[in-house]
């Protein structure tokens, strides 16, 4: 009970360091006082539109200063933000809005046309900011156990699930990271990852908890990132592998400045050539392991180990723990591979409206990630395989099951299997294996179009292979890892 | 529940950064791995002597590397340390041992003679370290709600009370301080304050939580402090006013090096001339407000405000809150003086075996400090008066009531009152006002000797004034603040 309440984060930060810069966005800057005032105003506008404490509200917004203001406005009045990936298809968005029972959707002006037929009120940014602001009922104290945000993630089977992030999850993630990376008042964090991902949202939380300025970009551009690292004194930046590749390319013969002290690498392990290229250009890479469920990284590798512990994600942050368990539930010994289970105050308490999944995936505070890995003798984590079949493409998680269920809904498709294939630009991209019904004549182009109508673009398979039979085990379970063998055969037949 | 458990602090730290230096003590250094190994060994030795999890064990030790090892050994096996001020008289120590129901007392070898007749087992350092070490039953996970340490503090009335510090109190104090002061891996904290005070013990906790080396001195010496600040790259040091005076004196025409970034000043407000002298010598002073009950500072003033907000203790740390309330329980407005009440995860949950005091001093998570102060329009705290009659002498708290009750036990004393008088060296020292019984002929020297037998030396009044009557109100309550008027009269009569 004693450790559950804390002052409202943004209000407290604006009280402590009102004049310190909170955000740089294009030509605009906001101090923490201004960020608080603007968010306070927006909170009153939300209230004026009938948005109430404890409601779930969908948020479909791009990286923008206004998005930060809206996200903090929701925090100020205790409204839970269901933060939607704006690369999703309309169908996916509608599904998540319905699943979360969101009371309304706040969205970009230009998305209104597309989303106006939603069953819940749709509030564009323009409309929100035009409403007269009421005096909002501030959540003066937050309870760390209360849900702050919901982010959907898919699993190996079934529909996406809304991962619950409490204020405490975000708090402890920020604190665990600060104890690992250190924090000084000259730090500035560049956010060019999406705010709708935990990688981006967690930077916002660090900003208010540390009192640290962030530089927000609409999207990632290597030259712009390098430019701002130099000119805005960026010291830390969150990246995924593809971003790091492009930075290294764009640097050409130059180097990053000395004040840049951390490229925090998420979204899958980095290949050796990339790490070596970074080393040559003195880019300090902190590899990490984490997922939406751990409210950003839970395991991090300090750069001094990046070569000696090549391929390792590092050690768990101070407040967190990991273990490797075998199929019989016993602890694995050093170097023995098994399932990675995680525990800590940054770990989600579960999924929105899905007590069944909580029962299945949690055991006495330990979350079963489904990922496979091992610990070496010194306790460094090596991740062998992301949770069964997960495809990581440019930092986005793609779950084959989700794509397969769309393909199977097509009347010409008898069976479908999806797996990731290596891709120079994105790390991996999805590829589909299709068994057609008798007499079906659908083309690859038509299937792609069908997927586009139902799925985010990045999830649409980049290639389709037509085959007569998919590899399934005796229980008819699809053996996705064997799909790549089919690919091999398919090449051999060409 | 989710935020209650964490890995054992020292074990986790030794796992994360085994080779990093933990402690410099004279010519010795220990890495975190070595500190863990030594503490592990000592934990096994404690266990060998029958010390068990959840027991309270008295600790009467000086600032020394061994003390750190023993304090962490107790943490490793979940034993609650009752940390005794080694300036106390034997009677005071015996009283605290009995009050805490401690199962044993660990003490310096040279104190054995004095304490051997205790009713509980007395374990000298020599004996402890000579015992064969068992394999200790480690507390692999700590619960933040569990008591870690007990430190006695007196109040305005009655006997000293054991302030309970949970692991969580220490954790949040360290985290709140890191978010305020920042933390980098070049930080090193000089500890020349006593480890038996929260000011010293809290540095130990910061060391393991941050992974930060500390430099431990047996006691404060200005020249040695300056020397180590220069040669051991000390960046932060905890001080009280008298220490700061001596450092400024000892600096003569020199300055502290640039890497020294924080003199964290506790134990009462600093006078303007001291702050100005520090400014002239570029000593960055962070004034603060805190007490044993808040597990070190809860309010801190950044140095950029040290002159503009002269006399202020600053703003509460991020996780903590303060309020000023009036006698009718209403909130004070800006600049209106009232009682300071505090709340936060660093605030004690109460006193050992004293549920009555908890009821009296706590209200919905808010601790009533008894201190008087006000907030200015910007929310900076100004402390006007430490809890009724508290005398702060060289960083030690002295409670008049405790000294009075000793004096009143003397057969020649009819009435006694104690108050603090200003002192150039110590800030304040206690002075006693005595009404003798008819026909009594006790001398000042005899009363001093009597006090010395019953009280720590620093509590013994430096001067005694014999008078005919003490100022008391209608309810016969002693008006201690009026004692200084008597002093004035006493001077006038001379």
């Amino acid at each position: 009970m004693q450790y559950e309440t804390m002052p409202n984060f943004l209000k407290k930060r604006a009280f402590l360091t009102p004049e310190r810069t909170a955000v740089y966005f294009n030509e605009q800057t906001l101090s923490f006082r201004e960020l608080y005032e603007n968010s306070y105003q927006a909170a009153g506008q939300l209230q004026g539109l009938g948005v109430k404490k404890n409601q779930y509200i969908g948020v479909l917004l791009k990286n923008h200063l206004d998005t930060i203001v809206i996200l903090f406005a929701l925090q100020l009045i205790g409204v839970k933000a269901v933060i939607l990936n704006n690369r999703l298809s309309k169908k996916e968005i509608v599904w998540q809005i319905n699943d979360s029972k969101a009371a309304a959707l706040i969205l970009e002006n230009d998305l209104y046309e597309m989303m106006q037929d939603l069953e819940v009120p749709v509030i564009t940014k323009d409309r929100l900011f035009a409403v007269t602001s009421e005096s909002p009922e501030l959540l003066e104290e937050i309870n760390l156990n209360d849900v702050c945000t919901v982010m959907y993630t898919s699993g190996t089977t079934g529909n996406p699930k809304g991962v619950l992030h409490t204020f405490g999850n975000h708090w402890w993630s920020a604190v665990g990271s600060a104890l690992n990376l250190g924090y000084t008042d000259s730090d500035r964090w560049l956010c060019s990852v999406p705010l709708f991902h935990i990688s981006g949202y967690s930077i916002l939380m660090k900003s208010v908890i540390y009192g640290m300025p962030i530089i927000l970009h609409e999207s990632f551009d290597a030259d712009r990132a390098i430019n701002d690292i130099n000119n805005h004194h960026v010291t830390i930046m969150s990246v995924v592998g593809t971003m790091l590749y492009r930075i290294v390319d764009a640097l050409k013969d130059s180097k990053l400045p000395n004040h840049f002290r951390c490229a925090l690498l998420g979204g899958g392990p980095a290949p050796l050539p990339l790490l070596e290229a970074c080393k040559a250009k003195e880019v300090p890479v902190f590899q990490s392991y984490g997922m939406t469920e751990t409210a950003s990284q839970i395991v991090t590798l300090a750069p001094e180990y990046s070569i000696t512990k090549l391929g390792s994600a590092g050690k768990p942050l101070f407040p967190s723990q990991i273990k490797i368990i075998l199929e019989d539930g016993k602890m694995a010994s050093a170097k023995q591979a098994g399932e990675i289970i995680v525990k800590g105050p940054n770990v989600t308490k579960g999924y929105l409206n899905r007590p069944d999944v909580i029962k299945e995936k949690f055991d006495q505070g330990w979350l079963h990630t489904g990922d496979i890995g091992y610990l070496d003798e010194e306790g460094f984590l090596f991740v062998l395989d992301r949770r069964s079949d997960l495809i990581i493409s440019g930092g986005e998680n793609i779950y084959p099951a989700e794509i397969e269920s769309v393909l199977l809904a097509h009347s010409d498709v008898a069976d479908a299997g999806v797996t990731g294939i290596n891709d120079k630009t994105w790390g991996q991209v999805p590829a589909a294996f299709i068994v057609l019904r008798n007499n079906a004549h659908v083309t690859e182009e038509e299937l792609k179009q069908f997927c586009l109508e139902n799925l985010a673009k990045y999830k649409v398979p980049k290639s389709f292979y037509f085959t007569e039979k998919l590899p399934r085990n005796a229980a008819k379970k699809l053996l996705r890892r064997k799909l790549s063998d089919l690919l091999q055969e398919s090449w051999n037949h060409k």
Side-chain angles (χ1 to χ4, degrees), chain A:
Chain A
M1 188 206 78
Q2 195 183 4
Y3 312 120
E4 285 180 0
T5 58
M6 219 180 276
N8 189 297
F9 292 167
L10 177 59
K11 187 173 181 191
K12 174 79 183 213
R13 173 50 58 197
F15 167 68
L16 287 178
T17 56
E19 301 314 324
R20 211 180 275 176
T21 300
V23 194
Y24 295 88
F25 177 73
N26 295 333
E27 302 307 308
Q28 294 173 275
T29 57
L30 285 186
S31 67
F32 282 105
R33 182 178 52 73
E34 291 165 331
L35 176 58
Y36 174 66
E37 286 169 358
N38 293 5
S39 301
Y40 184 91
Q41 159 110 356
Q45 289 167 318
L46 285 163
Q47 201 172 286
L49 286 166
V51 174
K52 282 186 191 67
K53 187 177 165 182
N54 288 331
Q55 278 181 337
Y56 290 84
I57 297 288
V59 175
L60 185 62
L61 296 168
K62 293 173 185 163
N63 275 19
H64 192 283
L65 197 55
D66 294 340
T67 304
I68 297 183
V69 168
I70 292 169
L71 288 171
F72 279 119
L74 293 168
Q75 281 194 23
L76 283 180
I77 51 174
V79 175
K80 302 161 199 325
V82 179
I83 307 181
L84 301 159
N85 184 327
N86 54 45
R87 292 176 190 151
L88 297 184
S89 70
K90 181 177 174 181
K91 281 195 186 171
E92 291 169 309
I93 291 167
V94 171
W95 192 93
Q96 294 184 11
I97 289 286
N98 291 338
D99 182 71
S100 65
K101 303 188 173 67
L105 173 65
I106 303 169
L107 82 183
E108 297 290 342
N109 300 327
D110 60 5
L111 294 176
Y112 182 72
E113 286 284 307
M114 183 171 94
M115 303 304 294
Q116 60 174 314
D117 57 348
L118 226 59
E119 284 172 29
V120 296
V122 167
I123 307 166
T124 63
K125 255 169 57 173
D126 273 0
R127 182 165 156 234
L128 172 63
F129 291 142
V131 170
T132 309
S133 182
E134 292 185 359
S135 172
E137 283 181 39
L138 281 202
L139 195 68
E140 297 285 345
E141 272 189 355
I142 54 145
N143 186 309
L144 292 180
N145 292 312
D146 282 348
V147 171
C148 171
T149 53
V150 180
M151 293 182 192
Y152 274 81
T153 170
S154 299
T156 47
T157 54
N159 288 313
K161 299 179 290 292
V163 177
L164 303 172
H165 291 132
T166 60
F167 283 100
N169 293 146
H170 291 303
W171 168 266
W172 286 93
S173 167
V175 167
S177 178
L179 290 176
N180 183 46
L181 301 179
Y183 166 67
T184 78
D185 57 13
S186 63
D187 274 323
R188 293 179 180 199
W189 204 303
L190 172 57
C191 177
S192 60
V193 290
L195 290 174
F196 59 73
H197 272 182
I198 189 60
S199 57
Y201 193 88
S202 64
I203 300 173
L204 281 195
M205 294 307 261
K206 289 181 181 109
S207 169
V208 289
I209 291 169
Y210 305 170
M212 172 184 68
I214 66 174
I215 290 90
L216 180 69
H217 287 181
E218 289 96 334
S219 60
F220 173 70
D221 175 272
D223 291 319
R224 196 172 166 209
I226 293 167
N227 194 53
D228 275 11
I229 286 172
N230 282 294
N231 300 335
H232 269 311
H233 201 276
V234 166
T235 58
I236 308 180
M237 177 183 183
S238 301
V239 295
V240 296
T242 49
M243 291 163 68
L244 210 47
Y245 266 120
R246 291 197 224 162
I247 288 175
V248 167
D249 272 356
L251 276 173
K252 297 194 184 82
D253 292 332
S254 65
K255 286 180 180 170
L256 291 181
N258 276 337
H259 64 245
F260 183 78
R261 65 186 186 89
C262 169
L264 186 61
L265 175 65
L272 180 58
L274 175 57
L275 290 174
E276 282 174 339
C278 288
K279 206 173 171 74
K281 293 201 192 296
E282 296 171 20
V283 179
V285 179
F286 288 67
Q287 295 181 81
S288 71
Y289 166 71
M291 61 207 81
T292 307
E293 283 87 340
T294 57
S296 125
Q297 91 272 21
I298 186 166
V299 178
T300 310
L301 186 72
E304 60 260 42
Y305 294 108
S306 72
I307 299 296
T308 53
K309 294 288 178 183
L310 182 79
S312 170
K315 291 180 176 179
L317 299 182
F318 198 97
S320 306
Q321 304 176 66
I322 56 171
K323 281 185 194 171
I324 306 293
I325 56 162
L326 304 174
E327 281 195 11
D328 58 9
K330 292 200 180 116
M331 292 264 290
S333 37
K335 295 224 162 180
Q336 197 176 14
E339 185 180 10
I340 302 167
I341 65 174
V342 298
K343 182 178 179 180
N346 58 319
V347 176
T348 180
K349 59 181 185 181
Y351 302 90
L352 187 58
N353 306 322
R354 293 298 299 274
D356 56 322
V357 185
I358 295 174
K359 251 192 196 155
E360 179 196 320
K361 294 185 71 168
F362 286 86
D363 182 15
Q364 298 180 28
W366 290 89
L367 168 67
H368 290 246
T369 66
D371 294 338
I372 305 300
Y374 68 87
L375 301 173
D376 73 6
E377 291 84 352
E378 292 170 82
F380 285 87
L381 173 69
F382 289 78
V383 181
L384 295 174
D385 233 330
R386 289 307 295 253
R387 71 202 94 162
S388 358
D389 320 310
L390 174 64
I391 302 167
I392 304 183
S393 184
E396 289 280 3
N397 289 353
I398 302 175
Y399 295 87
E402 202 183 347
I403 307 173
E404 287 158 6
S405 75
V406 166
L407 287 167
L408 287 167
H410 191 284
S411 55
D412 283 345
V413 173
D415 201 0
V418 171
T419 190
I421 56 175
N422 293 337
D423 182 271
K424 195 178 169 337
T425 309
W426 303 108
Q428 285 193 302
V429 291
F433 295 81
I434 306 287
V435 179
L436 290 178
R437 291 191 190 282
N438 290 338
N439 306 318
H441 294 288
V442 70
T443 65
E444 174 167 343
E445 223 21 74
E446 285 164 343
L447 282 178
K448 264 196 187 161
Q449 191 52 43
F450 183 73
C451 286
L452 262 179
E453 287 160 22
N454 289 281
L455 291 167
K457 196 175 167 193
Y458 66 86
K459 297 180 188 170
V460 174
K462 295 295 165 288
S463 41
F464 287 78
Y465 301 95
F466 296 95
T467 179
E468 284 178 13
K469 210 178 141 212
L470 295 185
R472 291 189 179 272
N473 68 9
K476 297 292 169 204
K477 189 178 177 310
L478 180 63
L479 303 170
R480 289 204 189 85
R481 286 176 212 291
K482 294 217 167 168
L483 288 174
S484 29
D485 299 345
L486 280 182
L487 192 62
Q488 201 55 41
E489 283 170 36
S490 147
W491 281 106
N492 292 343
H493 287 303
K494 275 192 182 171

